Each structure stands twice: as structure tokens, then as C-alpha cells.
Amino acid sequence: MTSSKNLDRLDLRILETLQSEGRMTNKELAEHVNLSPSACHQRLQRLITDEWVSGFTGRLNIERLCAPVQCIATVSLSSHSPDAFGMLERRVAGLPEALEAYTVSGSCDFIIRFACTHMTRYMMLTNSLIQDCPEISNISTHVIMKQSKVFTGYPLKELMSRQSFNPA
């Protein structure tokens, strides 16, 4: 995989545009970044092939489809062995209701976001996790009442500009 130093400003504009407007046609994308459609298509294919783009998805309005109970669970393990982490990671990877999972530092070891049909289902999932992963010492649940900000993409300009920052 190539480093970000191999990306030029047009590549970054394409990536930034795709984050916010993923349904654009190639022609629209090319116009937006001031390239010919064929040059834009070639760049986009290279960005996909080189894994700068990991996929395309649509953001659903889940509240229109159903009203899931959404929770964020912080999970602590009694053992920090690779086996304990691996067991929980594999178990969570197999749960469709586990939308995201992070291994973290701090007062807990994992943060997992769930969307379930109802609280009873969430309780069944966490009870099952506790039974299947005996190294779990604590699960603390935070029920999401309202989403205050939706993830719409990474702030590439800010993140890329800090990459060259040297505090020396």
C-alpha cells in the first residue's frame, strides 16, 4: 500500500468529494474536481485498487424503517491476554446488531455500538457475551437518546494538514 505522500491534491479532492457525495456520477465528480471524465475515472479506479476507498454505502434513515434501541456498551476485561481480546473480537464480529466495535485504552477495553429491536434483545446479547467470554468483568450500557451529530466523513483538510506538523 502506498503512503499518503503519493496522493496529490486532485486525489484528495476526489476522496473528500466521495465522502459527502458518494452517489455522484463519474461525470459529476470529474466536473467537481476539474478533470476530464476519463482522467477522473482512472484516478478513482486507482484509489479503489490501492485501497484508499474501502467501499461505498448509503446512509439509511433507520428511524423511518423501525425504531431500534441503540446502545453504546463499554466492556472491561479481567485479563488483557491476546486470547481474551481475540475471543471478544470474534464474538462481536458475529453479531449483526453490533454495528461498530473499538479496542480502546482508558477505563474500559472495548466500546461497542448496538442497534436492537428492543431492550430485551440487547440484554440477551450482552448476557450471551458474558457467558461466551468469561474474561468480561464489566459491561456498562449507555442508551442513545438522540444522535447529535452524524458521521459524514473524515475532515481530510484538517487531518492532512496536521500530518506535516512537527512540534520540535
Side-chain angles (χ1 to χ4, degrees), residues 40-77:
C40 183
H41 180 72
Q42 287 175 346
R43 279 180 180 261
L44 179 56
Q45 290 309 305
R46 180 180 49 79
L47 291 169
I48 293 169
T49 299
D50 291 348
E51 299 179 352
W52 294 103
V53 177
S54 60
F56 293 91
T57 61
R59 255 191 332 256
L60 302 181
N61 182 349
I62 193 67
E63 298 298 325
R64 279 200 75 187
L65 292 169
C66 59
V69 172
Q70 295 192 60
C71 302
I72 294 174
T74 59
V75 180
S76 299
L77 299 177

mmCIF file of all heavy atoms in Angstrom, residues 40-77:
data_model
loop_
_atom_site.group_PDB
_atom_site.id
_atom_site.type_symbol
_atom_site.label_atom_id
_atom_site.label_comp_id
_atom_site.label_asym_id
_atom_site.label_seq_id
_atom_site.Cartn_x
_atom_site.Cartn_y
_atom_site.Cartn_z
ATOM 1 N N CYS A 40 -10.666 11.291 -14.498
ATOM 2 C CA CYS A 40 -11.269 11.120 -13.169
ATOM 3 C C CYS A 40 -11.558 9.647 -12.910
ATOM 4 O O CYS A 40 -11.268 9.135 -11.825
ATOM 5 C CB CYS A 40 -12.553 11.947 -13.080
ATOM 6 S SG CYS A 40 -13.328 11.891 -11.461
ATOM 7 N N HIS A 41 -12.096 8.959 -13.914
ATOM 8 C CA HIS A 41 -12.397 7.534 -13.763
ATOM 9 C C HIS A 41 -11.119 6.735 -13.485
ATOM 10 O O HIS A 41 -11.103 5.857 -12.623
ATOM 11 C CB HIS A 41 -13.102 7.004 -15.019
ATOM 12 C CG HIS A 41 -13.448 5.565 -14.938
ATOM 13 N ND1 HIS A 41 -14.459 5.089 -14.137
ATOM 14 C CD2 HIS A 41 -12.905 4.473 -15.526
ATOM 15 C CE1 HIS A 41 -14.533 3.781 -14.245
ATOM 16 N NE2 HIS A 41 -13.596 3.379 -15.083
ATOM 17 N N GLN A 42 -10.047 7.040 -14.200
ATOM 18 C CA GLN A 42 -8.774 6.343 -13.990
ATOM 19 C C GLN A 42 -8.255 6.575 -12.574
ATOM 20 O O GLN A 42 -7.810 5.647 -11.902
ATOM 21 C CB GLN A 42 -7.729 6.799 -15.009
ATOM 22 C CG GLN A 42 -7.982 6.278 -16.398
ATOM 23 C CD GLN A 42 -6.992 6.846 -17.413
ATOM 24 O OE1 GLN A 42 -6.279 7.813 -17.164
ATOM 25 N NE2 GLN A 42 -6.964 6.227 -18.588
ATOM 26 N N ARG A 43 -8.323 7.819 -12.112
ATOM 27 C CA ARG A 43 -7.868 8.130 -10.751
ATOM 28 C C ARG A 43 -8.725 7.399 -9.718
ATOM 29 O O ARG A 43 -8.211 6.835 -8.754
ATOM 30 C CB ARG A 43 -7.912 9.631 -10.482
ATOM 31 C CG ARG A 43 -6.733 10.378 -11.037
ATOM 32 C CD ARG A 43 -6.896 11.871 -10.705
ATOM 33 N NE ARG A 43 -5.770 12.615 -11.217
ATOM 34 C CZ ARG A 43 -4.723 12.998 -10.479
ATOM 35 N NH1 ARG A 43 -4.681 12.687 -9.197
ATOM 36 N NH2 ARG A 43 -3.752 13.684 -11.009
ATOM 37 N N LEU A 44 -10.040 7.431 -9.925
ATOM 38 C CA LEU A 44 -10.928 6.778 -8.977
ATOM 39 C C LEU A 44 -10.661 5.274 -8.928
ATOM 40 O O LEU A 44 -10.598 4.685 -7.845
ATOM 41 C CB LEU A 44 -12.394 7.044 -9.335
ATOM 42 C CG LEU A 44 -13.441 6.391 -8.433
ATOM 43 C CD1 LEU A 44 -13.239 6.770 -6.966
ATOM 44 C CD2 LEU A 44 -14.834 6.762 -8.902
ATOM 45 N N GLN A 45 -10.468 4.646 -10.064
ATOM 46 C CA GLN A 45 -10.167 3.215 -10.085
ATOM 47 C C GLN A 45 -8.857 2.923 -9.363
ATOM 48 O O GLN A 45 -8.754 1.943 -8.635
ATOM 49 C CB GLN A 45 -10.119 2.698 -11.526
ATOM 50 C CG GLN A 45 -11.477 2.667 -12.202
ATOM 51 C CD GLN A 45 -12.529 1.944 -11.367
ATOM 52 O OE1 GLN A 45 -12.356 0.797 -10.973
ATOM 53 N NE2 GLN A 45 -13.629 2.618 -11.081
ATOM 54 N N ARG A 46 -7.841 3.786 -9.538
ATOM 55 C CA ARG A 46 -6.567 3.612 -8.837
ATOM 56 C C ARG A 46 -6.765 3.774 -7.331
ATOM 57 O O ARG A 46 -6.222 2.997 -6.534
ATOM 58 C CB ARG A 46 -5.527 4.616 -9.341
ATOM 59 C CG ARG A 46 -4.181 4.476 -8.629
ATOM 60 C CD ARG A 46 -3.134 5.472 -9.106
ATOM 61 N NE ARG A 46 -3.585 6.843 -9.168
ATOM 62 C CZ ARG A 46 -3.687 7.661 -8.107
ATOM 63 N NH1 ARG A 46 -3.388 7.232 -6.899
ATOM 64 N NH2 ARG A 46 -4.088 8.905 -8.255
ATOM 65 N N LEU A 47 -7.570 4.766 -6.917
ATOM 66 C CA LEU A 47 -7.825 4.979 -5.491
ATOM 67 C C LEU A 47 -8.535 3.776 -4.873
ATOM 68 O O LEU A 47 -8.257 3.390 -3.736
ATOM 69 C CB LEU A 47 -8.639 6.262 -5.279
ATOM 70 C CG LEU A 47 -7.910 7.564 -5.588
ATOM 71 C CD1 LEU A 47 -8.896 8.733 -5.606
ATOM 72 C CD2 LEU A 47 -6.794 7.814 -4.587
ATOM 73 N N ILE A 48 -9.433 3.171 -5.627
ATOM 74 C CA ILE A 48 -10.133 1.971 -5.142
ATOM 75 C C ILE A 48 -9.176 0.785 -5.107
ATOM 76 O O ILE A 48 -9.082 0.076 -4.096
ATOM 77 C CB ILE A 48 -11.370 1.671 -6.020
ATOM 78 C CG1 ILE A 48 -12.417 2.781 -5.837
ATOM 79 C CG2 ILE A 48 -11.949 0.300 -5.689
ATOM 80 C CD1 ILE A 48 -13.548 2.726 -6.841
ATOM 81 N N THR A 49 -8.432 0.575 -6.181
ATOM 82 C CA THR A 49 -7.484 -0.549 -6.264
ATOM 83 C C THR A 49 -6.421 -0.457 -5.174
ATOM 84 O O THR A 49 -6.056 -1.459 -4.562
ATOM 85 C CB THR A 49 -6.814 -0.577 -7.653
ATOM 86 O OG1 THR A 49 -7.835 -0.749 -8.632
ATOM 87 C CG2 THR A 49 -5.801 -1.709 -7.762
ATOM 88 N N ASP A 50 -5.920 0.754 -4.910
ATOM 89 C CA ASP A 50 -4.883 0.956 -3.898
ATOM 90 C C ASP A 50 -5.457 1.052 -2.480
ATOM 91 O O ASP A 50 -4.747 1.380 -1.541
ATOM 92 C CB ASP A 50 -4.068 2.210 -4.208
ATOM 93 C CG ASP A 50 -3.193 2.055 -5.445
ATOM 94 O OD1 ASP A 50 -3.039 0.922 -5.931
ATOM 95 O OD2 ASP A 50 -2.664 3.086 -5.920
ATOM 96 N N GLU A 51 -6.752 0.796 -2.345
ATOM 97 C CA GLU A 51 -7.453 0.747 -1.055
ATOM 98 C C GLU A 51 -7.510 2.071 -0.310
ATOM 99 O O GLU A 51 -7.565 2.111 0.922
ATOM 100 C CB GLU A 51 -6.878 -0.363 -0.168
ATOM 101 C CG GLU A 51 -7.030 -1.740 -0.777
ATOM 102 C CD GLU A 51 -6.449 -2.842 0.074
ATOM 103 O OE1 GLU A 51 -5.783 -2.561 1.083
ATOM 104 O OE2 GLU A 51 -6.663 -4.009 -0.286
ATOM 105 N N TRP A 52 -7.510 3.175 -1.052
ATOM 106 C CA TRP A 52 -7.769 4.469 -0.411
ATOM 107 C C TRP A 52 -9.263 4.606 -0.138
ATOM 108 O O TRP A 52 -9.675 5.316 0.760
ATOM 109 C CB TRP A 52 -7.286 5.625 -1.287
ATOM 110 C CG TRP A 52 -5.807 5.655 -1.452
ATOM 111 C CD1 TRP A 52 -5.091 5.252 -2.550
ATOM 112 C CD2 TRP A 52 -4.836 6.080 -0.502
ATOM 113 N NE1 TRP A 52 -3.756 5.404 -2.326
ATOM 114 C CE2 TRP A 52 -3.564 5.918 -1.070
ATOM 115 C CE3 TRP A 52 -4.915 6.584 0.794
ATOM 116 C CZ2 TRP A 52 -2.390 6.247 -0.407
ATOM 117 C CZ3 TRP A 52 -3.745 6.914 1.460
ATOM 118 C CH2 TRP A 52 -2.499 6.740 0.860
ATOM 119 N N VAL A 53 -10.071 3.921 -0.923
ATOM 120 C CA VAL A 53 -11.526 3.862 -0.731
ATOM 121 C C VAL A 53 -11.842 2.426 -0.346
ATOM 122 O O VAL A 53 -11.486 1.499 -1.069
ATOM 123 C CB VAL A 53 -12.278 4.249 -2.031
ATOM 124 C CG1 VAL A 53 -13.776 4.111 -1.846
ATOM 125 C CG2 VAL A 53 -11.911 5.653 -2.481
ATOM 126 N N SER A 54 -12.508 2.243 0.798
ATOM 127 C CA SER A 54 -12.756 0.881 1.263
ATOM 128 C C SER A 54 -14.164 0.399 0.961
ATOM 129 O O SER A 54 -14.511 -0.727 1.303
ATOM 130 C CB SER A 54 -12.471 0.773 2.766
ATOM 131 O OG SER A 54 -13.303 1.650 3.484
ATOM 132 N N GLY A 55 -14.985 1.210 0.338
ATOM 133 C CA GLY A 55 -16.324 0.761 -0.023
ATOM 134 C C GLY A 55 -17.274 1.931 -0.183
ATOM 135 O O GLY A 55 -16.932 3.076 0.131
ATOM 136 N N PHE A 56 -18.454 1.640 -0.677
ATOM 137 C CA PHE A 56 -19.498 2.643 -0.860
ATOM 138 C C PHE A 56 -20.748 2.152 -0.159
ATOM 139 O O PHE A 56 -21.149 0.996 -0.319
ATOM 140 C CB PHE A 56 -19.795 2.842 -2.354
ATOM 141 C CG PHE A 56 -18.651 3.449 -3.109
ATOM 142 C CD1 PHE A 56 -17.693 2.650 -3.703
ATOM 143 C CD2 PHE A 56 -18.527 4.821 -3.214
ATOM 144 C CE1 PHE A 56 -16.633 3.190 -4.400
ATOM 145 C CE2 PHE A 56 -17.462 5.383 -3.903
ATOM 146 C CZ PHE A 56 -16.516 4.571 -4.497
ATOM 147 N N THR A 57 -21.355 3.004 0.642
ATOM 148 C CA THR A 57 -22.582 2.644 1.341
ATOM 149 C C THR A 57 -23.554 3.806 1.295
ATOM 150 O O THR A 57 -23.171 4.951 1.030
ATOM 151 C CB THR A 57 -22.312 2.295 2.826
ATOM 152 O OG1 THR A 57 -21.762 3.445 3.469
ATOM 153 C CG2 THR A 57 -21.373 1.120 2.977
ATOM 154 N N GLY A 58 -24.800 3.512 1.564
ATOM 155 C CA GLY A 58 -25.806 4.557 1.697
ATOM 156 C C GLY A 58 -26.175 4.703 3.156
ATOM 157 O O GLY A 58 -26.228 3.724 3.896
ATOM 158 N N ARG A 59 -26.382 5.927 3.598
ATOM 159 C CA ARG A 59 -26.817 6.174 4.978
ATOM 160 C C ARG A 59 -28.333 6.065 5.021
ATOM 161 O O ARG A 59 -29.027 6.803 4.329
ATOM 162 C CB ARG A 59 -26.393 7.582 5.418
ATOM 163 C CG ARG A 59 -25.243 7.603 6.333
ATOM 164 C CD ARG A 59 -24.979 8.952 6.965
ATOM 165 N NE ARG A 59 -25.381 10.112 6.231
ATOM 166 C CZ ARG A 59 -24.554 10.922 5.568
ATOM 167 N NH1 ARG A 59 -23.286 10.682 5.557
ATOM 168 N NH2 ARG A 59 -25.014 11.968 4.941
ATOM 169 N N LEU A 60 -28.828 5.133 5.802
ATOM 170 C CA LEU A 60 -30.271 4.918 5.903
ATOM 171 C C LEU A 60 -30.875 5.769 7.007
ATOM 172 O O LEU A 60 -30.235 6.041 8.021
ATOM 173 C CB LEU A 60 -30.561 3.448 6.218
ATOM 174 C CG LEU A 60 -30.027 2.414 5.241
ATOM 175 C CD1 LEU A 60 -30.438 1.022 5.705
ATOM 176 C CD2 LEU A 60 -30.505 2.690 3.838
ATOM 177 N N ASN A 61 -32.116 6.144 6.810
ATOM 178 C CA ASN A 61 -32.883 6.803 7.856
ATOM 179 C C ASN A 61 -33.566 5.691 8.641
ATOM 180 O O ASN A 61 -34.714 5.327 8.372
ATOM 181 C CB ASN A 61 -33.897 7.773 7.243
ATOM 182 C CG ASN A 61 -34.681 8.515 8.295
ATOM 183 O OD1 ASN A 61 -34.633 8.182 9.478
ATOM 184 N ND2 ASN A 61 -35.424 9.522 7.872
ATOM 185 N N ILE A 62 -32.838 5.133 9.599
ATOM 186 C CA ILE A 62 -33.320 3.955 10.334
ATOM 187 C C ILE A 62 -34.600 4.251 11.106
ATOM 188 O O ILE A 62 -35.441 3.381 11.273
ATOM 189 C CB ILE A 62 -32.207 3.367 11.250
ATOM 190 C CG1 ILE A 62 -32.589 1.968 11.757
ATOM 191 C CG2 ILE A 62 -31.911 4.298 12.419
ATOM 192 C CD1 ILE A 62 -32.646 0.939 10.681
ATOM 193 N N GLU A 63 -34.776 5.469 11.543
ATOM 194 C CA GLU A 63 -35.974 5.831 12.305
ATOM 195 C C GLU A 63 -37.234 5.723 11.446
ATOM 196 O O GLU A 63 -38.317 5.512 11.974
ATOM 197 C CB GLU A 63 -35.845 7.241 12.888
ATOM 198 C CG GLU A 63 -34.693 7.409 13.867
ATOM 199 C CD GLU A 63 -34.807 6.524 15.099
ATOM 200 O OE1 GLU A 63 -35.935 6.287 15.578
ATOM 201 O OE2 GLU A 63 -33.767 6.061 15.593
ATOM 202 N N ARG A 64 -37.111 5.875 10.127
ATOM 203 C CA ARG A 64 -38.264 5.689 9.239
ATOM 204 C C ARG A 64 -38.572 4.220 9.044
ATOM 205 O O ARG A 64 -39.721 3.844 8.804
ATOM 206 C CB ARG A 64 -38.007 6.325 7.877
ATOM 207 C CG ARG A 64 -38.254 7.806 7.894
ATOM 208 C CD ARG A 64 -38.479 8.369 6.544
ATOM 209 N NE ARG A 64 -39.805 8.039 6.026
ATOM 210 C CZ ARG A 64 -40.186 8.320 4.801
ATOM 211 N NH1 ARG A 64 -39.357 8.925 3.980
ATOM 212 N NH2 ARG A 64 -41.386 8.008 4.388
ATOM 213 N N LEU A 65 -37.556 3.372 9.095
ATOM 214 C CA LEU A 65 -37.751 1.937 8.885
ATOM 215 C C LEU A 65 -38.278 1.244 10.128
ATOM 216 O O LEU A 65 -39.143 0.384 10.057
ATOM 217 C CB LEU A 65 -36.429 1.284 8.470
ATOM 218 C CG LEU A 65 -35.899 1.679 7.099
ATOM 219 C CD1 LEU A 65 -34.470 1.196 6.921
ATOM 220 C CD2 LEU A 65 -36.798 1.104 6.023
ATOM 221 N N CYS A 66 -37.709 1.606 11.275
ATOM 222 C CA CYS A 66 -38.081 0.999 12.547
ATOM 223 C C CYS A 66 -37.565 1.920 13.645
ATOM 224 O O CYS A 66 -36.966 2.941 13.363
ATOM 225 C CB CYS A 66 -37.482 -0.404 12.682
ATOM 226 S SG CYS A 66 -35.681 -0.439 12.579
ATOM 227 N N ALA A 67 -37.798 1.570 14.843
ATOM 228 C CA ALA A 67 -37.318 2.390 15.965
ATOM 229 C C ALA A 67 -36.427 1.525 16.852
ATOM 230 O O ALA A 67 -36.855 1.062 17.902
ATOM 231 C CB ALA A 67 -38.487 2.966 16.754
ATOM 232 N N PRO A 68 -35.180 1.286 16.426
ATOM 233 C CA PRO A 68 -34.335 0.402 17.220
ATOM 234 C C PRO A 68 -33.883 1.052 18.523
ATOM 235 O O PRO A 68 -33.803 2.274 18.628
ATOM 236 C CB PRO A 68 -33.126 0.172 16.313
ATOM 237 C CG PRO A 68 -33.040 1.422 15.506
ATOM 238 C CD PRO A 68 -34.474 1.853 15.288
ATOM 239 N N VAL A 69 -33.609 0.202 19.495
ATOM 240 C CA VAL A 69 -32.941 0.660 20.706
ATOM 241 C C VAL A 69 -31.453 0.661 20.366
ATOM 242 O O VAL A 69 -30.911 -0.353 19.930
ATOM 243 C CB VAL A 69 -33.213 -0.303 21.883
ATOM 244 C CG1 VAL A 69 -32.356 0.056 23.083
ATOM 245 C CG2 VAL A 69 -34.686 -0.305 22.234
ATOM 246 N N GLN A 70 -30.830 1.816 20.507
ATOM 247 C CA GLN A 70 -29.402 1.905 20.215
ATOM 248 C C GLN A 70 -28.658 2.166 21.514
ATOM 249 O O GLN A 70 -29.056 3.016 22.307
ATOM 250 C CB GLN A 70 -29.123 2.998 19.196
ATOM 251 C CG GLN A 70 -29.755 2.673 17.843
ATOM 252 C CD GLN A 70 -29.268 3.578 16.750
ATOM 253 O OE1 GLN A 70 -28.068 3.620 16.480
ATOM 254 N NE2 GLN A 70 -30.194 4.289 16.128
ATOM 255 N N CYS A 71 -27.594 1.405 21.700
ATOM 256 C CA CYS A 71 -26.812 1.485 22.931
ATOM 257 C C CYS A 71 -25.336 1.515 22.599
ATOM 258 O O CYS A 71 -24.902 0.968 21.586
ATOM 259 C CB CYS A 71 -27.059 0.269 23.822
ATOM 260 S SG CYS A 71 -28.763 0.022 24.302
ATOM 261 N N ILE A 72 -24.589 2.132 23.473
ATOM 262 C CA ILE A 72 -23.138 2.050 23.436
ATOM 263 C C ILE A 72 -22.734 1.320 24.707
ATOM 264 O O ILE A 72 -23.116 1.725 25.812
ATOM 265 C CB ILE A 72 -22.481 3.432 23.354
ATOM 266 C CG1 ILE A 72 -22.836 4.081 22.016
ATOM 267 C CG2 ILE A 72 -20.971 3.331 23.539
ATOM 268 C CD1 ILE A 72 -22.378 5.507 21.856
ATOM 269 N N ALA A 73 -22.002 0.242 24.533
ATOM 270 C CA ALA A 73 -21.557 -0.557 25.679
ATOM 271 C C ALA A 73 -20.057 -0.397 25.833
ATOM 272 O O ALA A 73 -19.312 -0.499 24.856
ATOM 273 C CB ALA A 73 -21.914 -2.019 25.477
ATOM 274 N N THR A 74 -19.632 -0.120 27.046
ATOM 275 C CA THR A 74 -18.202 -0.149 27.355
ATOM 276 C C THR A 74 -17.948 -1.473 28.064
ATOM 277 O O THR A 74 -18.695 -1.862 28.972
ATOM 278 C CB THR A 74 -17.766 1.042 28.226
ATOM 279 O OG1 THR A 74 -18.510 1.031 29.445
ATOM 280 C CG2 THR A 74 -18.008 2.353 27.498
ATOM 281 N N VAL A 75 -16.931 -2.181 27.609
ATOM 282 C CA VAL A 75 -16.655 -3.521 28.117
ATOM 283 C C VAL A 75 -15.245 -3.547 28.698
ATOM 284 O O VAL A 75 -14.287 -3.109 28.055
ATOM 285 C CB VAL A 75 -16.770 -4.577 26.993
ATOM 286 C CG1 VAL A 75 -16.478 -5.969 27.519
ATOM 287 C CG2 VAL A 75 -18.146 -4.511 26.328
ATOM 288 N N SER A 76 -15.130 -4.078 29.900
ATOM 289 C CA SER A 76 -13.834 -4.254 30.547
ATOM 290 C C SER A 76 -13.548 -5.739 30.679
ATOM 291 O O SER A 76 -14.448 -6.536 30.945
ATOM 292 C CB SER A 76 -13.831 -3.608 31.937
ATOM 293 O OG SER A 76 -14.061 -2.223 31.831
ATOM 294 N N LEU A 77 -12.289 -6.091 30.496
ATOM 295 C CA LEU A 77 -11.850 -7.477 30.617
ATOM 296 C C LEU A 77 -11.019 -7.645 31.884
ATOM 297 O O LEU A 77 -10.283 -6.732 32.271
ATOM 298 C CB LEU A 77 -11.020 -7.887 29.399
ATOM 299 C CG LEU A 77 -11.711 -7.820 28.043
ATOM 300 C CD1 LEU A 77 -10.725 -8.177 26.933
ATOM 301 C CD2 LEU A 77 -12.914 -8.732 28.000
#
